[in-house]
Amino acid sequence: MKEQLEAIQAEALERISQTEDMKELQDIKVAYLGKKGSLTGVLRGMGKLSKEERPVIGEVANKVRESITAALDEKNEKLELLQLEEQLEAEAIDVTLPGRPVKVGGPHLLSSIVQELEDLFIGMGYEVREGPEVETDFYNFEALNLPKNHPARDMQDTFYITNELLMRTHTSPVQARTMQEYKGEKPVKMICPGKVYRRDTDDATHSHQFTQIEGLYVDKNVRMSDLKGTLDTFAKKMFGADREIRLRPSFFPFTEPSVEMDISCKVCNGKGCSVCKGTGWIEILGGGMVHPKVLEMGGYDPEVYSGFAFGMGPERIAMLKYGVNDIRQFYTNDIRFLKQYHKA
Ligand code: PHE
């Protein structure tokens, strides 16, 4: 029996030393020391031994069990350590590697222009207001001295939703809305940026949807020279201190007199080139003195109050300022176009 035990020990130790696998090590443990293991089997037969033999074999058996257990523990520890090392190696982070760059977006060119204009006019004491894009016929036209069937309604081809509802064709309805809200009780000094819609066929210079910024200043003693000074400040801040402006007579039903403002061409400095079509001037915006009827409909007494209004297109301003030659660039969103205007 002693030989049998020693044979088991030799075999077990050999198998333990050979294995490099935790699972196999566990199997070996079961195969020798488990309930049905070979060592356990031999020990069970001890009952058949004589009284003298029993303690001797018992001692041998204990030593065999101890040596197998010790070998198992030792191997287990070794394999655990190995596993940990492998895991650490696999999960290692090289802190010296360069980081992955984070892609940062930036404001759309139009948003930047609108922001710049807002800052400029806030600096001159204007508040920034908003109005609905789905507008009533009343605010878009009637309150601006454009009664139904007025021929000047054809100046702006309109997307009608119902007879009375439409997509606003300009930001001017916000003039009427603001005056009405202020009830003729206090001066108005506001700008309103926003989207407007027209039934135009899209091409390089026309778009069915674009942006406008409206300006309205109503107070006592507001004069044409105030409009001119304001627009001159705007032109010089936006396009450079060396720009000249000129006002040409024009027509809008809601202003009287009405003007169109040009700035001297930046490309040729007024000499005449292809950008200004040889005139030396570039048209920028429309404006004028608020029509007495519009003041009246807004609740302001035209005998006491006067005012000026203007409307400009940020797309046009951006196109002139940055040499963008197709208005569709603003909404087709080619990232190569947009990126050029992201400030670092
Ligand atoms: N609403 C006019 C347009 O869209 C511009 C404008 C605004 C003219 C205010 C005069 C006064 O063409």
Side-chain angles (χ1 to χ4, degrees):
M1 202 166 203
K2 190 172 173 229
E3 291 82 54
Q4 215 183 337
L5 284 169
E6 278 163 357
I8 288 174
Q9 178 182 26
E11 188 193 284
L13 295 183
E14 173 66 12
R15 278 185 67 188
I16 291 167
S17 79
Q18 290 297 320
T19 187
E20 294 297 333
D21 184 87
M22 292 275 247
K23 166 98 180 51
E24 202 182 321
L25 194 67
Q26 185 61 30
D27 291 345
I28 295 170
K29 186 175 181 179
V30 173
Y32 292 93
L33 307 180
K35 268 188 201 155
K36 290 178 187 161
S38 41
L39 183 63
T40 321
V42 173
L43 292 179
R44 258 191 215 121
M46 282 202 14
K48 289 180 203 129
L49 295 172
S50 64
K51 259 189 183 163
E52 297 78 39
E53 269 179 320
R54 223 179 276 166
V56 183
I57 294 297
E59 203 186 326
V60 177
N62 272 339
K63 287 213 169 105
V64 168
R65 171 191 288 277
E66 272 163 28
S67 85
I68 294 178
T69 307
L72 281 168
D73 286 350
E74 195 188 325
K75 190 75 185 206
N76 190 49
E77 206 173 306
K78 203 177 131 200
L79 289 182
E80 262 179 4
L81 206 71
L82 215 70
Q83 202 183 38
L84 186 69
E85 270 170 19
E86 271 171 24
Q87 194 183 349
L88 283 177
E89 204 169 314
E91 290 175 0
I93 295 167
D94 182 354
V95 292
T96 65
L97 278 175
R100 294 194 186 93
V102 179
K103 286 189 179 158
V104 186
H108 191 279
L109 172 56
L110 277 181
S111 306
S112 305
I113 292 272
V114 169
Q115 181 75 54
E116 206 177 324
L117 288 166
E118 281 183 8
D119 288 350
L120 191 123
F121 282 100
I122 287 170
M124 291 196 272
Y126 288 74
E127 60 167 325
V128 179
R129 291 182 69 89
E130 279 182 9
E133 289 170 28
V134 176
E135 189 50 285
T136 61
D137 183 275
F138 176 78
Y139 285 115
N140 196 80
F141 291 127
E142 282 190 49
L144 296 168
N145 196 28
L146 272 151
K148 291 221 159 67
N149 302 319
H150 192 290
R153 281 196 179 202
D154 295 345
M155 283 167 77
Q156 302 173 353
D157 262 333
T158 310
F159 286 117
Y160 275 94
I161 296 167
T162 66
N163 270 347
E164 292 303 322
L165 270 186
L166 46 80
M167 301 305 291
R168 68 176 176 194
T169 56
H170 50 182
T171 42
S172 300
V174 186
Q175 288 188 32
R177 284 180 175 276
T178 308
M179 281 191 273
Q180 210 178 59
E181 194 182 313
Y182 285 22
K183 299 191 183 83
E185 286 164 358
K186 53 179 176 179
V188 180
K189 206 171 183 187
M190 69 92 188
I191 58 161
C192 166
K195 295 190 186 84
V196 302
Y197 302 82
R198 288 191 197 173
R199 280 180 53 185
D200 262 332
T201 307
D202 292 354
D203 62 21
T205 52
H206 295 83
S207 173
H208 61 285
Q209 184 235 291
F210 56 99
T211 322
Q212 278 193 338
I213 295 186
E214 194 79 11
L216 174 69
Y217 176 32
V218 177
D219 203 344
K220 288 168 187 159
N221 297 318
V222 177
R223 292 167 305 192
M224 189 91 178
S225 52
D226 296 318
L227 173 62
K228 192 172 179 187
T230 303
L231 294 181
D232 192 50
T233 305
F234 148 76
K236 289 187 162 67
K237 283 254 173 74
M238 240 11 228
F239 295 102
D242 48 353
R243 292 303 99 212
E244 299 288 327
I245 68 159
R246 76 174 182 189
L247 300 179
R248 281 182 291 109
S250 185
F251 172 77
F252 299 102
F254 30 92
T255 45
E256 181 58 37
S258 301
V259 294
E260 238 148 328
M261 183 190 92
D262 300 336
I263 59 164
S264 55
C265 181
K266 202 179 178 150
V267 180
C268 62
N269 232 335
K271 284 190 203 77
C273 66
S274 63
V275 174
C276 57
K277 297 190 182 84
T279 65
W281 295 94
I282 291 175
E283 187 190 317
I284 296 284
L285 56 77
M289 301 308 289
V290 183
H291 197 289
K293 272 198 188 157
V294 175
L295 284 173
E296 213 170 287
M297 279 186 279
Y300 284 79
D301 181 352
E303 297 297 327
V304 181
Y305 283 94
S306 55
F308 66 69
F310 56 85
M312 59 177 87
E315 278 89 348
R316 183 159 174 75
I317 292 168
M319 286 169 90
L320 289 170
K321 198 165 164 169
Y322 296 106
V324 179
N325 54 17
D326 194 325
I327 197 169
R328 288 169 292 198
Q329 292 279 21
F330 293 111
Y331 60 84
T332 44
N333 287 335
D334 184 332
I335 194 74
R336 292 166 301 180
F337 168 76
L338 298 175
K339 260 189 186 167
Q340 297 175 66
Y341 305 102
H342 288 177
K343 288 177 192 134

